[in-house]
């Protein structure tokens, strides 16, 4: 598929759009099966040293009460995931690089391995770090890492980040390279429907994923947040429904481009449509990240407006998710890591 074909699929409507969705689902079912895997998400700290212009927990947003979930609470949430036969957990936080932070994540990874008899898969999503830090966390037992590229058009990247070296596209790209060298299954992704973003940019994002030969992808609609600088450009946005639809098309096209990778049904989809994640599952996604962050902290981890499930406790979430996934015609891969098939193929060929 070349760029112009991708753009035309992203703009498809009616019969053509339904055909895209049908094909994407069929491709997933044929290549990797219809199972959906859970990654219990623990947003263990909202303290962030960066100032991305779109993000609600950016450093300069003083409306947010900063928190750190205690080690004990993080481990309790992971124990919940393990007892409920989730295959894996994701530890996510704002971006920090202090020695204390690096050490803390390292300790948490080891403790999670221990409490689950090495059964829980561990994904980290803690931003850009040095090669040494990535290696250290990998050696301690994390084996997947999510670091979204956010936007692959350099000009767009610049417009949604502060203009300094600390927020550079090149650094982000370099970090993705370190992750891969360290041995992780590497996941990246973008936001869809950003101000200034074009269809061509989005097609470029998808081609970037293929070029980088990524193992996992998480991408969802951009949702404006009142206390961020990008809010100023909200008049440029498509409607939320259009962003939602475009996000589904991005997922479907990516499934056709990279049939054997893991694709997450992003939580931001659910902020627009209560059944958003299930809709993504129905057209080719295969990963869901139920939120296991202790509810007390959740309202302070609002990257965007209308973030769902702010008061639901984890048990409730699980029951309702299960029913919804079955309704979407998929089955849950309990107790399985649900690793990216692509990763093993890539390893097998020594790439
Ligand atoms: N809308 C949608 N997604 C957002 N993220 C951050 N802010 C927003 C927003 N306003 C996404 C980024 C980040 C991930 C953790 O959350 O893509 O990588
Ligand atoms: Fe959170 Fe159902 S998924 S309440």
């Amino acid at each position: 598929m070349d760029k112009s074909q991708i753009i035309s699929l992203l703009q498809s409507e009616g019969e053509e759009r339904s055909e895209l969705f049908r094909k994407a689902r069929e491709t997933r079912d044929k290549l990797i099966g219809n199972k959906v895997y859970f990654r219990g998400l623990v947003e263990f700290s909202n303290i962030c040293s960066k100032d991305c212009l779109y993000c609600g927990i950016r450093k300069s947003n003083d409306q947010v009460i900063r928190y750190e979930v205690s080690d004990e609470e993080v481990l309790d949430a992971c124990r919940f995931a393990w007892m409920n036969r989730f295959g894996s957990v994701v530890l996510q936080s704002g971006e920090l690089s202090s020695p204390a932070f690096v050490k803390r994540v390292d300790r948490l990874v080891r403790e999670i391995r221990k409490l689950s008899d090495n059964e829980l898969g561990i994904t980290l999503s803690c931003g850009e770090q040095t090669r040494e830090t990535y290696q250290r966390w990998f050696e301690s037992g994390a084996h997947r890492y999510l670091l979204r590229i956010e936007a692959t058009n350099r000009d767009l990247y610049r417009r949604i980040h502060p203009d300094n070296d600390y927020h550079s596209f090149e650094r982000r790209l370099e970090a993705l390279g370190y992750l891969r060298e360290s041995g992780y299954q590497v996941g990246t992704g973008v936001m869809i429907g950003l101000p200034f973003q074009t269809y061509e940019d989005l097609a470029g994002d998808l081609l970037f994923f293929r070029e980088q030969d990524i193992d996992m992808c998480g991408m969802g609609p951009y949702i404006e947040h009142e206390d961020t600088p990008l809010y100023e450009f909200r008049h440029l946005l498509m409607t939320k429904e259009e962003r939602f639809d475009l996000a589904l098309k991005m997922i479907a096209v990516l499934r056709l481009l990279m049939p054997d990778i893991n694709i997450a049904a992003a939580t931001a989809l659910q902020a627009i449509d209560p059944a958003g994640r299930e809709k993504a599952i129905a057209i080719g996604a295969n990963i869901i990240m139920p939120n296991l962050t202790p509810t007390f902290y959740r309202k302070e981890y609002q990257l965007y407006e209308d973030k769902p499930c702010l008061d639901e406790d984890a048990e409730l979430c699980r029951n309702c998710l299960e029913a919804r996934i079955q309704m979407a015609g998929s089955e849950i891969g309990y107790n399985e890591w649900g690793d990216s098939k692509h990763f093993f193929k890539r390893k097998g060929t020594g790439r």
Side-chain angles (χ1 to χ4, degrees):
M1 239 190 277
D2 65 19
K3 207 172 206 175
S4 65
Q5 285 167 317
I6 295 177
I7 292 175
S8 124
L9 286 175
L10 295 178
Q11 294 176 329
S12 64
E13 281 175 26
E15 195 44 48
E16 201 193 347
R17 171 178 174 275
S18 313
E19 180 68 10
L20 164 66
F21 288 165
R22 202 185 51 71
K23 266 204 199 131
R25 185 194 175 105
E26 193 182 280
T27 304
R28 181 201 62 199
D29 289 353
K30 213 177 320 164
L31 269 277
I32 59 172
N34 77 341
K35 271 196 193 163
V36 170
Y37 301 96
F38 282 176
R39 318 286 189 223
L41 174 66
V42 187
E43 297 149 332
F44 68 92
S45 162
N46 67 352
I47 305 173
C48 191
S49 59
K50 281 194 153 167
D51 242 341
C52 305
L53 305 181
Y54 44 84
C55 185
I57 63 166
R58 64 198 298 270
K59 181 175 178 219
S60 303
N61 183 6
D62 55 17
Q63 304 293 308
V64 175
I65 301 167
R66 302 291 163 170
Y67 71 79
E68 274 189 84
V69 180
S70 70
D71 282 14
E72 211 164 297
E73 286 172 304
V74 173
L75 298 176
D76 280 347
C78 294
R79 203 169 289 115
F80 173 92
W82 184 53
M83 312 261 284
N84 283 281
R85 299 178 298 140
F86 287 19
S88 313
V89 289
V90 180
L91 297 189
Q92 188 176 84
S93 67
E95 185 174 317
L96 291 180
S97 52
S98 64
F101 178 78
V102 172
K103 204 161 140 194
R104 173 163 196 231
V105 172
D106 196 63
R107 184 173 67 236
L108 286 170
V109 169
R110 288 169 193 274
E111 290 291 327
I112 295 167
R113 300 294 305 219
K114 215 174 348 167
L115 75 83
S116 70
D117 284 337
N118 288 330
E119 280 181 11
L120 270 181
I122 305 175
T123 307
L124 295 177
S125 178
C126 306
E128 290 168 24
Q129 303 289 340
T130 62
R131 188 202 299 259
E132 291 67 37
T133 298
Y134 285 149
Q135 281 169 351
R136 176 169 169 190
W137 290 345
F138 184 80
E139 279 157 24
S140 299
H143 62 121
R144 308 186 187 111
Y145 204 101
L146 305 175
L147 182 68
R148 288 190 179 175
I149 191 79
E150 313 296 359
T152 60
N153 173 334
R154 266 105 164 143
D155 294 330
L156 179 57
Y157 192 93
R158 238 316 115 260
R159 291 177 99 156
I160 63 170
H161 293 97
D163 189 6
N164 59 39
D165 284 350
Y166 192 43
H167 294 82
S168 94
F169 182 85
E170 306 309 325
R171 258 184 63 134
R172 176 70 52 127
L173 206 54
E174 196 174 64
L176 283 169
Y178 295 156
L179 285 168
R180 185 159 168 144
E181 284 165 27
S182 307
Y184 289 92
Q185 295 176 41
V186 181
T188 190
V190 294
M191 285 173 288
I192 299 159
L194 287 160
F196 320 113
Q197 192 178 42
T198 65
Y199 283 98
E200 188 167 3
D201 292 339
L202 289 167
D205 292 340
L206 294 174
L207 290 170
F208 170 89
F209 300 152
R210 190 167 64 177
E211 205 179 277
Q212 291 276 316
D213 202 21
I214 63 169
D215 305 303
M216 319 181 286
C217 185
M219 53 185 171
Y222 163 70
I223 300 173
E224 62 275 30
H225 189 300
E226 196 176 353
D227 303 318
T228 62
L230 219 57
Y231 195 67
E232 179 190 339
F233 299 104
R234 63 191 177 283
H235 60 283
L236 297 177
L237 298 174
M238 298 176 189
T239 65
K240 282 192 180 159
E241 288 65 34
E242 286 165 339
R243 277 175 263 163
F244 179 87
D245 190 62
L246 191 49
L248 289 188
K249 288 174 185 157
M250 285 284 285
I251 290 174
V253 177
L254 182 59
R255 180 54 77 199
L256 298 179
L257 280 176
M258 305 188 76
D260 60 356
I261 65 170
N262 278 347
I263 304 180
T267 309
L269 291 165
Q270 198 189 350
I272 297 182
D273 178 335
R277 293 184 303 183
E278 294 77 5
K279 288 184 181 169
I281 294 297
I283 55 100
N286 70 324
I287 301 288
I288 282 197
M289 295 163 57
N291 197 336
L292 300 184
T293 308
T295 45
F296 175 74
Y297 302 103
R298 279 193 210 176
K299 65 178 186 319
E300 302 302 336
Y301 202 89
Q302 294 212 57
L303 309 181
Y304 42 82
E305 290 175 352
D306 302 326
K307 200 161 166 247
C309 299
L310 288 186
D311 335 293
E312 304 305 335
D313 74 25
E315 184 63 49
L316 250 178
C317 252
R318 189 179 74 91
N319 291 337
C320 117
L321 252 184
E322 203 167 70
R324 290 154 145 223
I325 287 168
Q326 278 157 6
M327 270 172 0
S330 273
E331 186 190 339
I332 299 166
Y334 280 121
N335 261 347
E336 295 178 60
W337 275 17
D339 277 321
S340 157
K341 298 255 184 317
H342 187 79
F343 176 74
F344 293 106
K345 224 188 272 167
R346 163 159 94 74
K347 283 279 144 193
T349 58
R351 275 182 296 170

